Each structure stands twice: as structure tokens, then as C-alpha cells.
Amino acid sequence: MTDFNTPLSKVRGLGSAKDGTHHWWVQRVTAVANIPLVLFMVISFVGNAGKGHADWVSWLQQPVVAVLTILFVLNVTYHMRLGLQVVIEDYVHSHGLKVVSLILITFACVLIAALSVFSVLRIAFGG
Amino acid sequence: MAQVKRPLSPHLQVYRWGAHMAVSIINRMTGVALAVGTILLAWWLVAIATGYEYFNTIQGYADSILGRLVLFGLTYALMQHLAGGIRHLFMDTGKMYDLKSNTLSAKLTFVFAIVTTLAIWFAAYKVMGRL
């Protein structure tokens, strides 16, 4: 079998999409980070179940809670951006629609992250 | 040029369903459901930041039958995606590719998700004093 790869491209190992295993790897890293963060969020929701506005505000004003909630939101939106990208690449076959969908989900993920982080900061700093 | 009749790969519907297939597609479906869930999380955080009255409106939605149904579904989705994801991390190290452990671990993700979902809701209702 003829091998058309240059030695340099083999060493780089970036493949035809030019980013190699980066997508796969970052999805795993965010997945691992998600495990303790999800655990924290679940404990936080169960522990404060049914609480009113004032209780949630003072809960989120604790520095550790605010930081972990922000980390959760950032990590989850990144992980979901990567996952939704794969879903779109698998099922949307028209090139134009695919590119538009990918841009739209990127915007949506960034917007969700920005709204959440801004809200947590506003609560934490008592605005 | 003569058409070469190459064998075609059989399509999805000819396979008999197994736990490993179910956990695979459900991991994807729960992932998409959880993506919608992050919109609700952002909405809820915005509501707390907005103030007492708006938070109570949102809390009212969440406490309705439909709201609780959605939240219960999202809890299951989260636990299922968590278990399925951890199974994938093990498989990334080359483990659990033999039929027996692959099927067993696939079934275990469903057991884990159902048990933890019920436990979470039981605990939440206990905390709310509704049990």
C-alpha cells in the first residue's frame, strides 16, 4: 500500500482535520473534571431543596460555592459544546447547514456560560 | 467502467438490541437533554440574581407537576450520562471490551442511574420535609 504521508506529518500526528486528538482529549479532561463538580452540584441542590431566595443567595455568596458553581458552568458548557459538535457532525450532512449549526451552538454555549457566571458573580458580590 | 458489487454494511435496524447499544445511544440522548438543562440552570441563576419576586415565579414553575417531571428527567439524564461517561473513561484505557464485562457494565449504568435518581429525590423530599 502506498503511503502518501510525509514523515513530518506522521510525527505531528494532526491528521486531515489539523487538530489531531485534541477534541477527543479535551472531552475526556472536561469529563473527568465534571465528576466532582456534578457531585458538588447535586449535594448543593439536595441540601438546599425547597429553600427560598434569601437562603440561596447566602449559599451562593460563600466563596467556595461561588467558585465551584462558576467552574461547573464553564466546564459543563465546554464539554457540551464538544459533545453537541460531534452530534451535529454525525447527523447534519449539508455543509452549509453544518457550519451554521456549529457556529450557533458555540454562541449558545458561550451565552449560557456568560449569563450564569455573571449571575453568580452578581449574587456573590451582593449587587 | 463496470459497477463493482461491493458488500454493504448492514444498517442499524438489522441488529438485535443489546445493553451496549442502548447505553451508547442513551448516553448521546441524555447529553443533548442535559444541554437543554444548562439553559434551565442559567435561567435559575439569572432568577436568583434578579431578585426575590422573579425567583419565586421560577420556583413556582419548578414546583409544578410539569416542572418536577422535567427536573426528575434531568436528574435521571445526569446520573445516566455520569455512569455512561465513567464507563467510557474505563473503555478509553482499553478495558471492558470483552462481551461479558461490556454488557455487564452497560447494564450497571442503568442500575446506577435509576438507584441514584431515586435516592436524590428521596433525599430532596426529606430535606423539604415533605416525607
Side-chain angles (χ1 to χ4, degrees), chain A residues 72-104:
Chain A
F72 172 75
V73 167
L74 293 177
N75 195 59
V76 153
T77 46
Y78 192 3
H79 185 77
M80 117 193 188
R81 161 69 181 74
L82 296 168
L84 290 175
Q85 179 191 341
V86 177
V87 174
I88 288 170
E89 285 169 349
D90 280 356
Y91 302 133
V92 181
H93 299 305
S94 130
H95 183 73
L97 190 60
K98 177 156 63 181
V99 172
V100 170
S101 316
L102 288 174
I103 292 174
L104 284 180

Side-chain angles (χ1 to χ4, degrees), chain A residues 28 51 53 80 90-91 116, chain B residues 28 38 42 46 48 59 92:
Chain A
R28 309 301 132 156
K51 292 267 175 73
H53 182 254
M80 117 193 188
D90 280 356
Y91 302 133
S116 305
Chain B
R28 176 163 281 196
T38 62
V46 167
I48 300 176
Q59 192 87 316
D92 288 336

Side-chain angles (χ1 to χ4, degrees), chain A residues 33-34 37 65-77 117:
Chain A
N34 260 335
L37 290 171
V65 175
V67 169
L68 285 175
T69 306
I70 289 171
L71 288 179
F72 172 75
V73 167
L74 293 177
N75 195 59
V76 153
T77 46
V117 170

Side-chain angles (χ1 to χ4, degrees), chain B residues 7-23:
Chain B
L8 291 169
S9 168
H11 197 55
L12 266 179
Q13 59 264 31
V14 308
Y15 293 105
R16 191 162 54 87
W17 274 89
H20 51 298
M21 285 165 76
V23 79

Side-chain angles (χ1 to χ4, degrees), chain B residues 18-61:
Chain B
H20 51 298
M21 285 165 76
V23 79
S24 172
I25 189 61
I26 280 176
N27 212 48
R28 176 163 281 196
M29 293 192 312
T30 51
V32 174
L34 290 167
V36 179
T38 62
I39 300 173
L40 299 181
L41 177 72
W43 188 14
W44 178 77
L45 287 168
V46 167
I48 300 176
T50 305
Y52 177 77
E53 272 176 39
Y54 191 57
F55 176 80
N56 280 356
T57 313
I58 299 300
Q59 192 87 316
Y61 297 155

Side-chain angles (χ1 to χ4, degrees), chain A residues 33-57:
Chain A
N34 260 335
I35 298 171
L37 290 171
V38 160
L39 222 66
F40 164 75
M41 290 306 284
V42 167
I43 290 167
S44 155
F45 274 117
V46 168
N48 293 299
K51 292 267 175 73
H53 182 254
D55 292 316
W56 276 111
V57 167

